[in-house]
Amino acid sequence: MIPQSHKNPHHQENSGFSVPVLPAKTSPKICILGGGFAGLYTALYLARLSWHKSLIPNITLIDKQDRFLFTPFLYELITDEFRDWEIAPSFQKLLAKVKVKFCQGTVENIDLKQREIHLQNGDCLTYDYLVLSVGRKTFSTVVYEQEVETYPFRTLADAERLKQRLSGLELSPKPKISIALIGGGPNGVELAGKLADRLQNLGQIYLIVRGQQILKGFSNFSQKVAYQSLISRGVQIKSQTHIESVDHHNITLIEPRYQQKIPIDLVIETVGTQPREWLYHLDCQHNKRGQVLTTPTLQLIDYPEVFALGDLADIRNLQGKQVPATAQAAFQQGAATADNLKALIMGKSLKAFHYVHLGEMLTLGVKEAIVSSFGINLRGLIASWVRTWVYILLRMPTVNHRLQVTQYRCKQGITNLWKIPFTTVKLNSQKLL
């Protein structure tokens, strides 16, 4: 059973909260579980803060993978627009020049009372302060008639597995590759555009949406342009549609007026997440979805030395609306948590987390995107360029990695520019001869 909270802790409106933990007299030990956007950026922000010599924290980042994943560019792997090393640098590389230790391991359980982290390899880590940012794990929402293999799309391994499957299908004698893509959120929409551009006339993409529209919660501009873009690519959008069953050859859909069975070669799921098993047993307050409840300062209600970030936590704004589980929210939570951890250690007041929506950026295919921010709406090639370079120059985790990616991108751009006139001149010369 998940313990339920009888009081919503999110309706406090003050920004200065009393400090429940006394300042440390020695270097505090800070453990950060999860190396996604929230966890990694918390570690980097902490390492860059100025500290009194006696209070410089010992920071340990723990993740089961050895590489960070820049998820906004995961779709570009499908179309070979980006390389693995660009979007998935190793933690060792990213943390080489900052005072953060990396530990690769998988969490078995956490003893909040004893302040202990138990890993599956038998190691036990102790902490003074803890940041939980492991995210949720994928699970299937599809009903299967047989043992059917479906493909999630959240990790680097997912992308590599999907690419291998696509390569195999492209070599098959089938005149059309039929793909069912489940989920009308940003993941489903962005992946649908990339798949359509990769397969072109060889593929038929079905985007299956439970609700009435794609990109629920996004601006009207983003919804309209994304819909038009997908339709122009031949993607069939099945709105208000539920999945009855899936077998090795067909997917059966229940649409508003009828039931339809579609021959299918591949099923990809971009919906369906649940908390990791040990989070269910964590001795703290949860909501009905298994998310841990936090105070406005991102601390666990009963354990102020523990911060919870990302989609494992029920984080809300001052109006009581849940903060979206997006990369931009994770960036902001990382910065806020680093500042609050320092305040906690120094014995100062903490500040409530205020999420600021900076806009929307989505890829819709190769060299096409939408950008909607602060009243400015862009689409097409210009939006694709803006999205790419904003992410590279402002959002990638370290200066060194940004420079490496920038140099590679510029080199590739120059090479491509040289190819065009050379080919043109060669063709013109042949015509003259």
Side-chain angles (χ1 to χ4, degrees):
M1 289 291 292
I2 298 172
Q4 302 295 311
S5 172
H6 298 288
K7 181 180 179 182
N8 188 340
H10 302 289
H11 292 298
Q12 303 179 45
E13 298 181 356
N14 260 280
S15 62
F17 294 93
S18 60
V19 181
V21 179
L22 294 175
K25 295 181 180 179
T26 58
S27 296
K29 291 187 291 184
I30 301 175
C31 285
I32 301 171
L33 295 184
F37 283 110
L40 176 62
Y41 282 71
T42 298
L44 292 174
Y45 285 130
L46 277 170
R48 292 167 185 161
L49 292 174
S50 58
W51 294 88
H52 187 277
K53 188 175 181 181
S54 63
L55 293 179
I56 296 176
N58 295 312
I59 306 167
T60 301
L61 178 66
I62 305 162
D63 196 274
K64 66 178 182 179
Q65 305 295 337
D66 64 345
R67 292 196 279 180
F68 167 72
L69 178 61
F70 194 84
T71 51
F73 286 150
L74 187 61
Y75 314 95
E76 274 74 2
L77 289 184
I78 300 302
T79 47
D80 293 323
E81 295 170 87
F82 272 76
R83 301 291 174 261
D84 287 6
W85 69 266
E86 294 179 273
I87 74 163
S90 71
F91 287 113
Q92 294 290 1
K93 174 188 172 183
L94 294 176
L95 301 175
K97 295 187 177 181
V98 295
K99 293 182 178 179
V100 177
K101 177 184 176 182
F102 174 66
C103 174
Q104 186 174 1
T106 302
V107 175
E108 180 74 27
N109 62 73
I110 299 174
D111 188 331
L112 294 176
K113 289 186 172 63
Q114 298 299 319
R115 301 191 183 186
E116 293 178 344
I117 304 165
H118 299 272
L119 303 181
Q120 287 183 359
N121 63 4
D123 289 348
C124 177
L125 305 177
T126 60
Y127 63 86
D128 296 308
Y129 303 93
L130 176 64
V131 178
L132 299 174
S133 57
V134 294
R136 294 162 70 88
K137 65 179 182 179
T138 303
F139 80 102
S140 178
T141 60
V142 178
V143 178
Y144 305 112
E145 289 185 357
Q146 303 176 33
E147 196 66 31
V148 180
E149 187 177 33
T150 62
Y151 288 71
F153 193 78
R154 285 173 65 90
T155 68
L156 183 63
D158 292 340
E160 291 172 345
R161 179 167 166 259
L162 178 57
K163 284 185 69 177
Q164 290 177 358
R165 177 62 174 151
L166 289 171
S167 296
L169 288 170
E170 287 166 334
L171 294 174
S172 70
K174 289 177 175 289
K176 279 276 188 182
I177 299 169
S178 184
I179 298 176
L181 185 54
I182 303 170
N187 292 352
V189 169
E190 292 183 285
L191 184 55
K194 293 295 188 185
L195 287 170
D197 279 0
R198 171 173 173 146
L199 297 175
Q200 298 187 22
N201 293 332
L202 188 61
Q204 176 58 65
I205 314 297
Y206 299 94
L207 184 62
I208 301 167
V209 185
R210 180 172 294 182
Q212 294 184 353
Q213 59 190 14
I214 60 173
L215 298 177
K216 182 180 178 181
F218 280 66
S219 66
N220 290 334
F221 169 79
S222 295
Q223 291 176 346
K224 181 180 178 180
V225 173
Y227 181 85
Q228 293 171 345
S229 177
L230 292 180
I231 294 299
S232 71
R233 285 171 161 77
V235 176
Q236 289 195 30
I237 301 174
K238 301 283 189 179
S239 58
Q240 291 183 279
T241 299
H242 296 265
I243 300 168
E244 173 71 13
S245 62
V246 177
D247 61 33
H248 286 290
H249 306 290
N250 301 284
I251 184 168
T252 302
L253 305 176
I254 300 177
E255 301 185 54
R257 295 181 180 177
Y258 55 89
Q259 180 174 300
Q260 183 181 19
K261 181 177 283 189
I262 300 173
I264 213 74
D265 298 300
L266 176 63
V267 179
I268 304 171
E269 296 190 76
T270 64
V271 295
T273 62
Q274 63 184 8
R276 300 178 188 279
E277 188 64 28
W278 56 267
L279 272 170
Y280 278 115
H281 305 292
L282 207 58
D283 182 25
C284 62
Q285 298 183 53
H286 300 71
N287 65 12
K288 292 180 180 179
R289 293 185 62 217
Q291 294 174 305
V292 298
L293 299 183
T294 64
T295 67
T297 52
L298 302 180
Q299 297 161 284
L300 293 188
I301 296 170
D302 300 317
Y303 297 92
E305 72 278 4
V306 181
F307 292 76
L309 317 180
D311 57 3
L312 69 82
D314 185 353
I315 300 171
R316 298 179 180 268
N317 59 23
L318 292 178
Q319 290 73 42
K321 185 178 179 180
Q322 196 166 49
V323 172
T326 60
Q328 65 169 297
F331 290 131
Q332 296 177 36
Q333 290 167 20
T337 299
D339 288 337
N340 275 344
L341 272 167
K342 182 178 179 180
L344 198 58
I345 292 168
M346 300 294 293
K348 298 181 179 179
S349 295
L350 281 66
K351 294 182 179 180
F353 170 69
H354 297 287
Y355 170 68
V356 179
H357 183 62
L358 302 176
E360 302 158 0
M361 295 197 297
L362 297 172
T363 182
L364 298 177
V366 176
K367 296 182 180 179
E368 183 175 355
I370 46 178
V371 175
S372 179
S373 179
F374 298 108
I376 298 174
N377 294 323
L378 302 174
R379 60 186 296 180
L381 181 60
I382 293 176
S384 178
W385 186 88
V386 170
R387 173 183 174 271
T388 297
W389 287 104
V390 165
Y391 277 144
I392 290 175
L393 298 176
L394 301 179
R395 287 299 183 231
M396 282 193 163
T398 65
V399 172
N400 284 342
H401 188 65
R402 292 174 195 171
L403 287 174
Q404 287 181 349
V405 174
T406 298
Q407 289 172 353
Y408 177 74
R409 292 279 117 199
C410 291
K411 183 179 178 181
Q412 290 296 108
I414 292 171
T415 301
N416 292 334
L417 283 174
W418 276 103
K419 285 180 181 178
I420 296 171
F422 177 77
T423 305
T424 304
V425 169
K426 187 176 179 181
L427 290 171
N428 289 337
S429 299
Q430 289 175 345
K431 288 179 181 179
L432 289 172
L433 293 173

